[in-house]
Amino acid sequence: MNIQNIEKKEKNMATFEVKVPADVFDNAVNEVYKKNKNHLYVAGFRKGKAPRAVIEGMYGKEVFYPDAIEALAQDAFEAGRADCGFECVGAPSLIDQKVTEDKELIYTFEVGMYPEVELGQYKGLEVPQNHEAFDESKVDEEMHNVQKRNARLLDVEREAQMGDHVTIDFAGFIDGEQFDGGTAEDYDLELGSNTFVPGFEEQIVGMKTGDERDVVVTFPENYVEALAGKEATFKVTVKSVKEPELPELDDELAKDISDYETIAEYRDHVREDLEKEFTEQQESDYATRLMKAAVDNMTVEIPEPMILAKLDEQLRNYISTMGISPELTREQVLASMGLDEKTFQEIMRPQAVFELQTDLLLDAIVKAENIELDDGELDETYNKMAEEYKMDVDKIKQHVDEKIIVLDMKRRKAAQLIRDTAVDKEPEAKEEAAETKEEAAE
């Protein structure tokens, strides 16, 4: 296979043609013929015995072309990618294919090119760091959440109110027609949890066990396409109303839910965890602001196929994280999120672009700073992974591509370089504020 007519275009896009020799194409056509001949009826021949020339004479000489063209497309692209002289990114688009008079097959592919990065300032960045003190009220909030998680639910005869747990049956209708996914029995709902369509839970307030009511809501505009923006009526029956009874925050509760003997010890444990989480979040936010500053200082144009590939990766990660069945179609997965394709891309595109910008930035810094791994670093990482996943190191090495591990480690070093050379502006800001205050006092 030969590549020809390489043309670089705007926005880091390019096209190239790949010519498939006539004999290779004819072999592919013949394979399609052998695969399909048993399904074609030709008068005068037993099923599956008609020669290829006879079938082509009856159905047209191009009858087997489409399947042959499809069968060779991936190999043709791989051949073109290997010889095009640049790194292709994202999924290619097959924008044309034709068979010449000499029976050669010519594909035209459109691809994204790995973009060039022009680094700006990434060392010595002056970005304010958050020095806010830990809020002790967060401990009180978490202790209250502990009470809620360990509450008993008691049946009550009164009207439902926010904070109650209700068991309901419901059936949803749009324009008098019941719609898919809008019906359930014995559905447990905490009023005020905001887990249902906006406006639904508020209309359950005031209902008692045995009450029936039509609840009218309007689906959000960014909901699944079939329901977005539409008004729906849910016929709701309340089967039970339960009020949470919170346990006392005492030593007995601490013993029941933890290894601590007193509630004071348990509270100290909660505070320690929250303070650690708070500190880590502060550092993460600061690192993100530094990365954003470095990204803003660089110049790069990301091709559209690269962005679409990242969006696909984000959706695959969501499916994996949430344990969603791989048998579901893309549309079904998005529907489970209350989204359609357009809305998903609108919501996720900024994050996808920033992640790509970050990776491109770090890779460019790795190259500019000639960042390499120290002796033993890779083995140390493999050992930590083996310990974390409770697997043999050799098995980890078999299942995880070393190139991916090395790339990630180098990027981490580049990110640490940005962090280590950063300048915190906040002390300077505080100093200026203090000077201004002194001048005002004078």
Side-chain angles (χ1 to χ4, degrees), residues 343-393:
T343 307
F344 167 73
Q345 292 202 18
E346 288 176 350
I347 293 173
M348 300 304 297
R349 187 181 180 91
Q351 181 61 29
V353 170
F354 180 66
E355 288 180 12
L356 288 170
Q357 289 172 327
T358 299
D359 288 345
L360 291 166
L361 168 78
L362 296 177
D363 290 345
I365 293 174
V366 167
K367 184 177 180 180
E369 298 286 341
N370 195 27
I371 293 176
E372 296 293 342
L373 301 185
D374 298 331
D375 292 341
E377 274 190 287
L378 183 59
D379 287 337
E380 183 180 347
T381 297
Y382 274 126
N383 289 332
K384 286 181 179 178
M385 292 176 65
E387 183 178 344
E388 179 181 353
Y389 294 106
K390 295 179 172 55
M391 292 176 62
D392 185 76
V393 172

Side-chain angles (χ1 to χ4, degrees), residues 94-127:
L94 177 58
I95 60 176
D96 192 25
Q97 68 275 325
K98 62 184 178 182
V99 180
T100 69
E101 293 182 358
D102 296 329
K103 297 297 186 292
E104 292 178 323
L105 171 60
I106 299 177
Y107 293 97
T108 303
F109 294 100
E110 182 178 50
V111 298
M113 297 187 296
Y114 189 90
E116 293 185 7
V117 176
E118 183 181 335
L119 287 171
Q121 181 185 359
Y122 58 89
K123 290 189 286 190
L125 293 171
E126 296 186 13
V127 175

Side-chain angles (χ1 to χ4, degrees), residues 133-186:
F134 174 71
D135 185 357
E136 182 68 22
S137 69
K138 298 297 182 182
V139 181
D140 295 330
E141 290 178 15
E142 179 55 27
M143 294 302 287
H144 182 62
N145 289 334
V146 169
Q147 287 180 289
K148 290 174 65 177
R149 289 196 294 269
N150 292 277
R152 291 195 306 160
L153 297 178
L154 305 177
D155 285 304
V156 293
E157 298 300 324
R158 58 170 173 75
E159 296 177 345
Q161 59 190 29
M162 284 296 178
D164 286 343
H165 291 246
V166 294
T167 302
I168 58 176
D169 293 344
F170 61 84
F173 298 81
I174 294 178
D175 297 330
E177 297 291 332
Q178 203 164 340
F179 60 89
D180 292 339
T183 303
E185 294 182 353
D186 297 326

Side-chain angles (χ1 to χ4, degrees), residues 1-118:
M1 297 185 187
N2 299 318
I3 186 171
Q4 59 188 22
N5 297 331
I6 300 171
E7 183 179 353
K8 296 184 179 181
K9 299 184 175 182
E10 296 179 344
K11 299 182 179 179
N12 283 314
M13 298 296 293
T15 59
F16 57 73
E17 293 179 352
V18 178
K19 182 188 292 185
V20 179
D23 61 328
V24 176
F25 179 53
D26 187 66
N27 287 338
V29 171
N30 202 49
E31 288 301 316
V32 175
Y33 154 71
K34 289 190 291 186
K35 182 178 179 181
N36 291 279
K37 64 180 180 178
N38 291 330
H39 306 295
L40 297 172
Y41 174 76
V42 179
F45 293 90
R46 284 183 298 154
K47 199 170 185 180
K49 297 300 182 180
R52 172 180 157 187
V54 173
I55 295 175
E56 290 177 337
M58 176 174 287
Y59 293 96
K61 65 177 182 179
E62 298 178 352
V63 62
F64 300 120
Y65 281 14
D67 288 348
I69 291 171
E70 182 179 352
L72 290 171
Q74 185 62 39
D75 286 345
F77 170 69
E78 294 298 336
R81 177 164 63 177
D83 294 336
C84 66
F86 54 83
E87 182 179 349
C88 299
V89 292
S93 296
L94 177 58
I95 60 176
D96 192 25
Q97 68 275 325
K98 62 184 178 182
V99 180
T100 69
E101 293 182 358
D102 296 329
K103 297 297 186 292
E104 292 178 323
L105 171 60
I106 299 177
Y107 293 97
T108 303
F109 294 100
E110 182 178 50
V111 298
M113 297 187 296
Y114 189 90
E116 293 185 7
V117 176
E118 183 181 335

